[in-house]
Amino acid sequence: MKSVDDAAYAMAALSAAVVLFRALIKKGLLTREEAVRIILDEAVSQAIQAEAQDPREPGSEANRHCAEILKLIAERL
């Protein structure tokens, strides 16, 4: 699979997760604070994983970017 395909799948999954969180918040099944905490927990996990990887290893930069994107989403949710 091409790296472009990997990025497209990751972006689609991220978009679906944001839509799901917003729908759950709107329906009252999840509070905004809970959603932000869940997203920030995942961002921390991705950041830790990126720090543990060798910078030359494929995917390490993607994990750093993923952590940053998740932090931005949590701030705007």
Side-chain angles (χ1 to χ4, degrees):
M1 193 176 292
K2 298 177 186 175
S3 63
V4 173
D5 292 338
D6 290 341
Y9 286 127
M11 193 59 153
L14 188 60
S15 297
V18 169
V19 168
L20 175 64
F21 279 123
R22 285 190 175 172
L24 290 173
I25 291 168
K26 188 175 183 179
K27 293 282 186 182
L29 299 173
L30 187 68
T31 66
R32 182 186 177 281
E33 291 77 23
E34 290 172 328
V36 168
R37 184 181 41 81
I38 292 167
I39 293 171
L40 288 176
D41 286 348
E42 183 60 27
V44 169
S45 173
Q46 291 292 328
I48 290 170
Q49 188 175 7
E51 288 298 319
Q53 288 179 330
D54 183 4
R56 298 175 307 242
E57 187 176 324
S60 64
E61 190 65 27
N63 283 332
R64 283 188 185 81
H65 290 299
C66 184
E68 292 299 318
I69 291 168
L70 288 169
K71 284 187 243 178
L72 288 172
I73 291 169
E75 290 172 0
R76 290 174 174 39
L77 194 66

